[in-house]
Coordinates of all heavy atoms in Angstrom, one line a residue:
Chain A
E252 N 1.3 -17.7 23.5 CA 0.1 -17.3 22.9 C -1.0 -17.6 23.8 O -1.4 -18.9 24.0 CB -0.1 -18.1 21.5 CG 0.6 -17.6 20.4 CD -0.1 -16.3 19.8 OE1 -1.4 -16.3 19.8 OE2 0.5 -15.3 19.4
E254 N -4.1 -17.5 23.8 CA -5.3 -18.3 22.9 C -4.9 -19.8 22.9 O -5.7 -20.6 23.2 CB -5.6 -17.6 21.6 CG -5.8 -16.1 21.8 CD -7.3 -15.9 22.0 OE1 -8.1 -16.7 21.5 OE2 -7.6 -15.0 22.8
M255 N -3.7 -19.8 22.4 CA -3.2 -21.3 22.1 C -3.1 -22.0 23.5 O -3.5 -23.2 23.6 CB -1.9 -21.1 21.5 CG -1.3 -22.3 20.8 SD -2.4 -22.9 19.5 CE -2.4 -24.7 19.7
K257 N -4.9 -21.6 26.1 CA -6.1 -21.9 26.4 C -6.8 -23.1 25.8 O -7.4 -24.0 26.3 CB -7.1 -20.5 26.2 CG -8.4 -20.6 26.9 CD -9.0 -19.1 27.1 CE -10.1 -19.0 26.1 NZ -10.6 -17.6 26.0
A258 N -6.5 -23.0 24.5 CA -7.0 -24.2 23.7 C -6.4 -25.5 24.0 O -7.1 -26.5 24.2 CB -6.8 -23.9 22.1
L259 N -5.1 -25.4 24.3 CA -4.3 -26.7 24.6 C -4.8 -27.2 26.0 O -5.1 -28.4 26.2 CB -2.9 -26.5 24.7 CG -2.2 -26.4 23.3 CD1 -0.6 -26.0 23.4 CD2 -2.3 -27.9 22.6
R261 N -7.8 -26.5 27.5 CA -9.1 -27.2 27.3 C -9.0 -28.6 26.8 O -9.7 -29.6 27.4 CB -9.8 -26.4 26.3 CG -10.6 -25.2 26.7 CD -11.3 -24.5 25.6 NE -11.8 -23.3 26.0 CZ -11.8 -22.2 25.2 NH1 -11.3 -22.3 24.1 NH2 -12.4 -21.2 25.6
L262 N -8.2 -28.9 25.8 CA -8.1 -30.2 25.1 C -7.6 -31.2 26.2 O -8.2 -32.2 26.3 CB -7.2 -30.1 23.9 CG -6.9 -31.4 23.2 CD1 -8.2 -32.0 22.5 CD2 -5.9 -31.2 22.1
R264 N -7.5 -31.0 29.4 CA -8.4 -31.3 30.6 C -9.5 -32.2 30.1 O -9.9 -33.1 30.8 CB -9.0 -29.8 31.0 CG -7.9 -29.1 31.7 CD -8.6 -28.3 32.9 NE -7.4 -27.7 33.7 CZ -7.2 -26.5 33.8 NH1 -8.1 -25.5 33.2 NH2 -6.3 -25.9 34.6
A265 N -10.0 -31.9 28.8 CA -11.1 -32.7 28.3 C -10.7 -34.1 28.2 O -11.5 -35.0 28.4 CB -11.6 -32.1 27.1
E266 N -9.4 -34.4 27.9 CA -8.9 -35.7 27.8 C -8.5 -36.2 29.2 O -8.0 -37.4 29.3 CB -7.7 -35.7 26.9 CG -8.0 -35.4 25.4 CD -8.8 -36.5 24.7 OE1 -8.9 -37.6 25.3 OE2 -9.5 -36.2 23.8
D294 N 6.3 -24.6 23.7 CA 6.3 -24.0 22.5 C 7.8 -23.3 22.3 O 8.1 -22.5 23.0 CB 5.3 -22.8 22.4 CG 5.3 -22.2 20.9 OD1 6.1 -22.4 20.1 OD2 4.3 -21.4 20.7
T322 N 6.3 -26.7 17.6 CA 7.0 -25.6 17.0 C 6.1 -25.2 15.7 O 5.4 -26.0 15.1 CB 8.4 -25.9 16.5 OG1 8.9 -25.0 15.6 CG2 8.4 -27.3 15.7
G323 N 6.2 -23.9 15.4 CA 5.4 -23.4 14.3 C 5.9 -23.9 13.0 O 5.2 -24.2 12.1
H324 N 7.3 -23.8 12.9 CA 7.8 -24.4 11.6 C 8.9 -25.4 12.1 O 9.9 -24.9 12.6 CB 8.4 -23.2 10.8 CG 8.8 -22.1 11.5 ND1 10.1 -21.9 11.9 CD2 8.2 -21.0 12.1 CE1 10.3 -20.8 12.7 NE2 9.1 -20.1 12.8
K344 N 3.2 -27.5 14.7 CA 2.0 -26.9 14.7 C 1.5 -26.7 13.4 O 2.1 -26.4 12.4 CB 2.0 -25.5 15.5 CG 2.0 -25.7 17.0 CD 1.5 -24.4 17.6 CE 2.7 -23.7 18.3 NZ 2.3 -22.3 18.9
P345 N 0.1 -26.7 13.1 CA -1.0 -27.1 14.1 C -0.8 -28.7 14.3 O -0.6 -29.4 13.4 CB -2.1 -26.7 13.3 CG -1.8 -26.7 11.8 CD -0.4 -26.5 11.7
V346 N -1.1 -29.0 15.6 CA -0.8 -30.4 16.0 C -2.2 -31.0 16.2 O -3.2 -30.4 16.8 CB 0.1 -30.3 17.3 CG1 -0.6 -29.7 18.4 CG2 0.6 -31.8 17.5
N347 N -2.3 -32.2 15.6 CA -3.5 -33.1 15.8 C -3.5 -33.6 17.2 O -2.5 -34.0 17.8 CB -3.5 -34.3 14.9 CG -3.9 -34.0 13.5 OD1 -4.9 -33.1 13.5 ND2 -3.3 -34.5 12.6
A348 N -4.8 -33.8 17.8 CA -4.8 -34.5 19.1 C -4.3 -35.9 19.1 O -3.7 -36.4 19.9 CB -6.3 -34.5 19.5
A349 N -4.4 -36.5 17.8 CA -4.0 -37.9 17.6 C -2.5 -38.0 17.7 O -2.0 -39.0 18.0 CB -4.4 -38.3 16.2
Chain B
H1720 N 3.5 -18.4 8.5 CA 3.5 -18.2 9.9 C 2.4 -17.6 10.5 O 1.9 -18.0 11.4 CB 4.9 -17.4 10.2 CG 5.2 -17.3 11.7 ND1 5.7 -18.4 12.4 CD2 4.9 -16.3 12.5 CE1 5.7 -18.0 13.6 NE2 5.4 -16.8 13.7
N1723 N -0.5 -19.9 10.5 CA -0.4 -21.1 11.3 C -1.0 -20.9 12.7 O -1.6 -21.9 13.1 CB 1.1 -21.4 11.4 CG 1.4 -22.8 11.2 OD1 0.5 -23.6 10.8 ND2 2.5 -23.3 11.7
Q1724 N -0.7 -19.8 13.3 CA -1.3 -19.6 14.6 C -2.8 -19.8 14.8 O -3.2 -20.7 15.5 CB -0.8 -18.3 15.1 CG 0.7 -18.1 15.6 CD 0.9 -19.0 16.8 OE1 0.1 -19.6 17.4 NE2 2.2 -18.9 17.2
L1726 N -4.7 -21.3 12.7 CA -5.1 -22.5 12.3 C -4.9 -23.6 13.3 O -5.8 -24.3 13.7 CB -4.3 -23.0 11.0 CG -4.9 -22.3 9.7 CD1 -4.0 -22.7 8.6 CD2 -6.3 -22.9 9.5
A1727 N -3.7 -23.5 14.0 CA -3.5 -24.4 15.2 C -4.4 -24.2 16.3 O -4.9 -25.3 16.8 CB -2.0 -24.0 15.7
M1728 N -4.8 -22.9 16.5 CA -5.7 -22.6 17.6 C -7.0 -23.3 17.3 O -7.6 -23.9 18.1 CB -5.8 -21.2 17.7 CG -6.2 -20.8 19.0 SD -6.2 -19.0 18.9 CE -4.6 -18.6 18.6
L1730 N -7.8 -25.8 15.3 CA -7.7 -27.3 15.3 C -7.7 -27.8 16.8 O -8.6 -28.6 17.1 CB -6.5 -27.8 14.6 CG -6.3 -29.2 14.6 CD1 -7.3 -29.9 13.8 CD2 -4.8 -29.5 14.0
T1731 N -7.0 -27.2 17.6 CA -6.9 -27.6 19.0 C -8.2 -27.4 19.7 O -8.8 -28.3 20.4 CB -5.7 -26.9 19.7 OG1 -4.6 -27.1 18.9 CG2 -5.5 -27.5 21.1
N1732 N -8.7 -26.3 19.4 CA -10.0 -26.0 20.1 C -11.1 -26.9 19.7 O -12.0 -27.4 20.3 CB -10.5 -24.5 19.7 CG -10.1 -23.6 20.8 OD1 -10.0 -23.9 22.0 ND2 -9.6 -22.5 20.3
E1734 N -10.7 -29.9 18.5 CA -10.6 -31.2 19.1 C -10.9 -31.3 20.6 O -11.4 -32.2 21.1 CB -9.1 -31.6 18.9 CG -8.9 -32.2 17.4 CD -7.5 -32.5 17.0 OE1 -6.5 -31.8 17.7 OE2 -7.2 -33.2 16.0
A1735 N -10.6 -30.2 21.1 CA -11.1 -30.0 22.6 C -12.6 -30.2 22.7 O -13.1 -30.8 23.5 CB -10.7 -28.7 23.2
A1736 N -13.3 -29.5 21.8 CA -14.7 -29.5 21.8 C -15.3 -30.9 21.5 O -16.2 -31.3 22.2 CB -15.2 -28.5 20.8
A1738 N -13.7 -33.6 22.3 CA -13.5 -34.4 23.5 C -14.6 -34.0 24.6 O -15.2 -35.0 25.3 CB -12.1 -34.1 24.1
L1739 N -14.8 -32.7 24.7 CA -15.9 -32.3 25.7 C -17.3 -32.9 25.4 O -18.1 -33.2 26.2 CB -16.0 -30.7 25.7 CG -14.8 -30.1 26.4 CD1 -14.8 -28.6 26.2 CD2 -14.7 -30.4 27.9
Q1742 N -18.0 -36.3 26.4 CA -18.1 -36.6 28.0 C -19.6 -36.8 28.2 O -20.4 -36.3 27.4 CB -17.5 -35.4 28.7 CG -16.0 -35.4 28.7 CD -15.5 -34.2 29.2 OE1 -16.3 -33.3 29.6 NE2 -14.2 -34.2 29.7
E1749 N -18.5 -25.0 28.0 CA -17.3 -24.7 27.5 C -17.1 -24.8 25.9 O -16.4 -24.2 25.2 CB -16.3 -25.7 28.1 CG -14.8 -25.5 27.7 CD -13.9 -25.6 28.8 OE1 -14.2 -26.5 29.7 OE2 -12.7 -25.1 28.7
E1752 N -18.0 -21.5 24.5 CA -16.8 -20.7 24.5 C -15.8 -21.1 23.5 O -15.2 -20.3 22.8 CB -16.1 -20.8 25.9 CG -16.7 -19.9 27.0 CD -16.0 -20.2 28.3 OE1 -14.8 -20.6 28.3 OE2 -16.8 -20.3 29.3
I1753 N -15.6 -22.4 23.3 CA -14.6 -22.8 22.2 C -15.0 -22.3 20.9 O -14.3 -21.7 20.0 CB -14.4 -24.4 22.4 CG1 -13.7 -24.8 23.5 CG2 -13.9 -25.0 21.0 CD1 -13.6 -26.3 23.7
D1756 N -14.2 -18.8 20.3 CA -12.7 -18.7 20.0 C -12.4 -19.0 18.6 O -11.6 -18.4 18.1 CB -12.0 -19.6 21.1 CG -11.9 -18.8 22.4 OD1 -12.5 -17.7 22.5 OD2 -11.4 -19.3 23.4
S1759 N -13.3 -16.3 16.3 CA -12.4 -15.1 16.3 C -11.1 -15.5 15.7 O -10.4 -14.6 15.0 CB -12.3 -14.6 17.8 OG -11.2 -15.1 18.3
R1763 N -9.3 -13.7 12.5 CA -7.9 -13.2 12.4 C -7.3 -13.7 11.3 O -6.5 -13.0 10.5 CB -7.1 -13.6 13.7 CG -6.3 -12.6 14.2 CD -5.8 -13.0 15.5 NE -4.7 -14.0 15.6 CZ -4.4 -14.8 16.7 NH1 -5.1 -14.7 17.7 NH2 -3.4 -15.6 16.5

Side-chain angles (χ1 to χ4, degrees):
Chain A
E252 281 278 323
E254 303 275 322
M255 194 62 214
K257 198 157 105 189
L259 282 171
R261 274 179 187 142
L262 175 65
R264 287 216 172 114
E266 291 293 339
D294 185 352
T322 173
H324 30 96
K344 278 206 252 181
V346 65
N347 279 322
Chain B
H1720 184 76
N1723 220 16
Q1724 284 291 358
L1726 279 178
M1728 208 177 298
L1730 180 61
T1731 307
N1732 270 322
E1734 283 172 337
L1739 287 169
Q1742 288 172 353
E1749 185 143 24
E1752 276 174 37
I1753 285 175
D1756 282 359
S1759 98
R1763 221 168 78 202

